[in-house]
Amino acid sequence: MTIRDIPVRTLSDESTTLGELAGDKALLVVNVASKCGLTPQYTGLVELQQTYGPRGFSVVGVPCNQFMGQEPGTAEEIEQFCSTTYGVDFPLLEKSEVNGEGRHPLYRELVRTTDAEGEAGDIQWNFEKFLVDRDGKVVGRFRPRTEPKDPAVVSAIESVL
């Protein structure tokens, strides 16, 4: 079993897996929030989706309200905000916990991955990014302040396409 086989729910409450949702694409899984200082990173995520989507890549957003309540909206409000404010056209999963006892099983696996400094463990804040290759292996972790268009992120994405 790989990370692509873990059951998830879409923002529209449909049961699926990352594999079913995105096929054999490489993925950038990101915990997102609408009312965060890092929310403008949605622009870079949409650009990554547009640039690399045709080559077998997809961003997957996971709304999370664990960091100072910065994603308080309903599924409908989140979808509306993302589509009208940023033109988000990549899949969004249901609002989930990424840390603590209620951590979603997807994030139980993701947080085992180390970042560039060799640190694994809890998600630090909104917009932490995980790169998953086509085989379901987590091959990169980028902390929240690393912009989606950062050369390290772009290089890592290109290496799995």
Side-chain angles (χ1 to χ4, degrees):
M1 181 163 144
T2 73
I3 206 154
R4 300 171 88 71
D5 302 313
I6 295 171
V8 296
R9 297 194 77 75
T10 66
L11 193 60
S12 57
D13 200 33
E14 297 170 15
S15 181
T16 189
T17 65
L18 291 180
E20 291 171 354
L21 188 66
D24 67 349
K25 295 178 180 177
L27 306 171
L28 189 68
V29 180
V30 186
N31 62 301
V32 295
S34 302
K35 300 186 182 307
C36 174
L38 300 177
T39 300
Q41 285 192 23
Y42 267 121
T43 299
L45 295 172
V46 168
E47 289 172 4
L48 289 177
Q49 180 70 33
Q50 291 169 346
T51 301
Y52 296 105
R55 292 176 54 194
F57 169 82
S58 183
V59 174
V60 176
V62 183
C64 178
N65 196 40
Q66 284 189 288
F67 302 100
M68 294 184 64
Q70 294 181 343
E71 187 57 271
T74 65
E76 294 79 18
E77 290 167 336
I78 294 167
E79 193 281 326
Q80 176 79 18
F81 171 82
C82 290
S83 63
T84 59
T85 308
Y86 289 100
V88 169
D89 57 353
F90 52 78
L92 294 168
L93 301 182
E94 70 179 345
K95 193 185 307 188
S96 300
E97 292 188 15
V98 298
N99 288 333
E101 286 184 28
R103 185 187 329 247
H104 191 284
L106 173 63
Y107 274 85
R108 277 191 224 129
E109 292 301 315
L110 290 173
V111 298
R112 295 178 183 190
T113 305
T114 58
D115 62 12
E117 286 76 43
E119 298 289 324
D122 282 350
I123 302 300
Q124 292 179 345
W125 200 255
N126 301 308
F127 291 90
E128 192 144 337
K129 301 151 202 74
F130 293 87
L131 183 61
V132 180
D133 71 12
R134 293 175 191 255
D135 295 323
K137 182 177 181 208
V138 185
V139 296
R141 180 176 187 166
F142 305 93
R143 296 298 184 169
R145 294 200 179 279
T146 303
E147 292 285 334
K149 300 286 281 200
D150 184 282
V153 176
V154 170
S155 175
I157 291 169
E158 289 179 349
S159 77
V160 297
L161 296 179

